[in-house]
Amino acid sequence: MAPTLTAPTPAPALALKPGTAWSDAWQRCLTTAPEAFRDDRVLNLWAAGWKHDGNPLPATSPVDGSPITGPPRLDAVTAQQAVRASLDQHRAWRHVPVAERRARVSAALDALTEHRELLALLLVWEIGKPWRLAQADVDRAIDGVRWYVDGIEPMLAGRSPLAGPVSNIASWNYPMSVLVHAMLVQALAGNAVIAKTPTDGGLACLTLASALAAREGLPITLVSGSGGQLSEALVRAPEIGCVSFVGGRDTGADIATAVADLGKRHILEQEGLNTWGIWNHSDWDALTAVVPKLFDYGKQRCTAYPRFVVQRELFADFLAAYLPAVRSIRTGHPLVVENPSDPLPQLDFGPLINAAKAKELGDQVTEAIGRGAVPLHRGTLDEGAFLPGQDTSAYLPPVTLLGPPRSSPLHHAEPFGPVDTIVLVDTEAELLAAMNASNGALVATLSTDDPQTFDRLAPQIRAFKTGHGKPRSRGDRDELFGGFGASWRGAFVGGELLVRAVTDGPAGERLPGNFPDHHLMP
């Protein structure tokens, strides 16, 4: 008798978790902050009011390519008006007593806490963060600013606000824990604050956060526009007291030239190739455990580690530890579930910021392989959780390449995506040269069994923070942050240094940082 054949059970259909659609998030924004949102657009915030100006650009979500609300871009003349209005706010705000500033910032933090989940949901749709990481971004902003609220008085002793407002131009990847965090601390220190919404994403999240803060009387300006149109106002205008920038080296170099010529206070965090060195190392279980964490948010962050520099004789052991870990990376649509009551998926990352970035990075990988790089791992989207027929053009699975050719951008620049490159070395001199390939970095790590070897080599690695077998990060609260070489210009931040960077101290004070006329470590 022939055996009975049983048809395979079809995989359950996936669907958006109820209440998480972009339309749901948008309706909640309209209800929560009607002063800042309209049915078809957001407004710009300047002169202490929400303005129906600027030409909105079309935008799509990286999550599934669907349309979302784009930035209402101002022209140069209107941007200059906004800057002058911010100076008027600054001149009044700088005289508000510290106790009142603390109370207003605290009230803003309470409002952000109340709307934490909506802010996180906007981050999912606008910049593709998985739910866990989106919530963490919001929480880090709130918790970090509360630390300053609790301890601001001694940080301000003997210091005064700047002569003009602080202008913030930041990348799209951490709207809350980097940009909103900085804005609220700058206001707490007595400054009016200007921020430009990142072109690539974060508009609705920043608008909602700014609306909640503006209700408490904080002197915030939030505008959208192209760098070419707004740079004259946001960087070069004489009203600006300080420029705070987070982004790439090309744009950062232009801003650095402008602020140096003007003698303007500045904080310019720029990219660098953060590296992880392996030398006389044997704790492979520790490496296996940490590799998935290094792929958080698809390595779209300034402290990501996209380069491993490995002692050649340890390469086989390294691969045995690394490959199982990278094969476990989970990606997919951040908001899909099998059943309505299921929790949102626990992903390492979702899409990249847009389809153009995914294509650019994919093309760089193809080109590098064509010129001799060896593909050690190329993930697929086959096991990712996606909606039936959804657009996945912004998704790129993990890739690992051995020996990227020197002609490839993957050899010398930060990819800002889920691509690891591996370089093999035979001597300590080669190790250091490979770890310092980008003329300065924000973080680095050296895994070595011998503490004396670490103590000897770590000072020669050109990174602001170097971990011993553990990743370093931007840090929170009292942890300092900066960069070596071309990865940073201007004042260092973190802890008390962030307050010092946006206030004036004693005459002739030299702030820790990389300035045209001095370099001073904290």
Side-chain angles (χ1 to χ4, degrees), residues 249 268-272 274 439-443 461-465 480-493 512-515 519-522:
R249 289 192 180 186
L268 309 182
E269 175 189 331
Q270 300 170 134
E271 64 189 12
N274 307 315
N439 184 26
L442 304 175
V443 296
I461 299 171
R462 298 284 292 163
F464 187 81
K465 298 179 182 181
L480 308 183
F481 191 55
F484 274 10
S487 68
W488 196 282
R489 299 178 189 272
F492 295 146
V493 296
N514 296 328
F515 290 93
H519 170 80
L520 180 63
M521 290 298 293

Side-chain angles (χ1 to χ4, degrees), residues 474-507:
R474 184 184 184 91
D476 293 309
R477 301 176 178 87
D478 58 349
E479 189 171 355
L480 308 183
F481 191 55
F484 274 10
S487 68
W488 196 282
R489 299 178 189 272
F492 295 146
V493 296
E496 184 181 0
L497 291 190
L498 175 53
V499 174
R500 291 173 64 184
V502 295
T503 55
D504 285 327

Side-chain angles (χ1 to χ4, degrees), residues 198-223:
T199 302
D200 288 326
L203 170 70
C205 179
L206 285 169
T207 299
L208 178 59
S210 297
L212 297 174
R215 286 179 183 175
E216 305 303 332
L218 298 184
I220 287 176
T221 294
L222 182 68
V223 294

Side-chain angles (χ1 to χ4, degrees), residues 307-323:
R307 168 67 52 79
F308 287 92
V309 181
V310 182
Q311 188 176 4
R312 190 181 305 273
E313 66 183 64
L314 299 179
F315 184 47
D317 294 328
F318 171 84
L319 283 185
Y322 173 89
L323 288 177

Side-chain angles (χ1 to χ4, degrees), residues 270-453:
Q270 300 170 134
E271 64 189 12
L273 185 61
N274 307 315
T275 58
W276 192 301
I278 308 287
W279 189 261
N280 292 340
H281 175 71
S282 63
D283 189 359
W284 300 112
D285 289 343
L287 181 67
T288 299
V290 80
V291 165
K293 299 175 184 177
L294 302 182
F295 277 87
D296 271 357
Y297 196 33
K299 303 207 173 195
Q300 296 177 108
R301 61 189 195 280
C302 64
T303 54
Y305 286 84
R307 168 67 52 79
F308 287 92
V309 181
V310 182
Q311 188 176 4
R312 190 181 305 273
E313 66 183 64
L314 299 179
F315 184 47
D317 294 328
F318 171 84
L319 283 185
Y322 173 89
L323 288 177
V326 77
R327 289 169 183 151
S328 73
I329 299 298
R330 298 157 300 172
T331 187
H333 191 304
L335 299 172
V336 299
V337 293
E338 292 182 11
N339 303 296
S341 61
D342 289 346
L344 290 170
Q346 293 289 312
L347 303 174
D348 295 295
F349 64 94
L352 302 192
I353 185 58
N354 51 46
K357 176 61 180 180
K359 182 181 185 304
E360 171 193 302
L361 201 49
D363 289 347
Q364 289 179 2
V365 168
T366 300
E367 181 183 26
I369 293 172
R371 295 186 179 184
V374 178
L376 299 176
H377 173 75
R378 299 194 76 170
T380 72
L381 299 179
D382 294 344
E383 297 182 0
F386 297 101
L387 293 172
Q390 81 158 78
D391 184 336
T392 59
S393 58
Y395 293 78
L396 183 74
V399 177
T400 306
L401 301 179
L402 172 65
R406 292 184 176 274
S407 59
S408 169
L410 297 176
H411 177 79
H412 55 78
E414 181 182 13
F416 229 63
V419 177
D420 276 348
T421 56
I422 300 172
V423 174
L424 302 183
V425 295
D426 297 296
T427 66
E428 290 184 354
E430 289 178 322
L431 173 81
L432 293 170
M435 293 189 72
N436 294 328
S438 67
N439 184 26
L442 304 175
V443 296
T445 291
L446 178 60
S447 290
T448 182
D449 293 345
D450 182 14
Q452 292 182 340
T453 298

Side-chain angles (χ1 to χ4, degrees), residues 4-11:
T4 301
L5 298 179
T6 303
T9 303

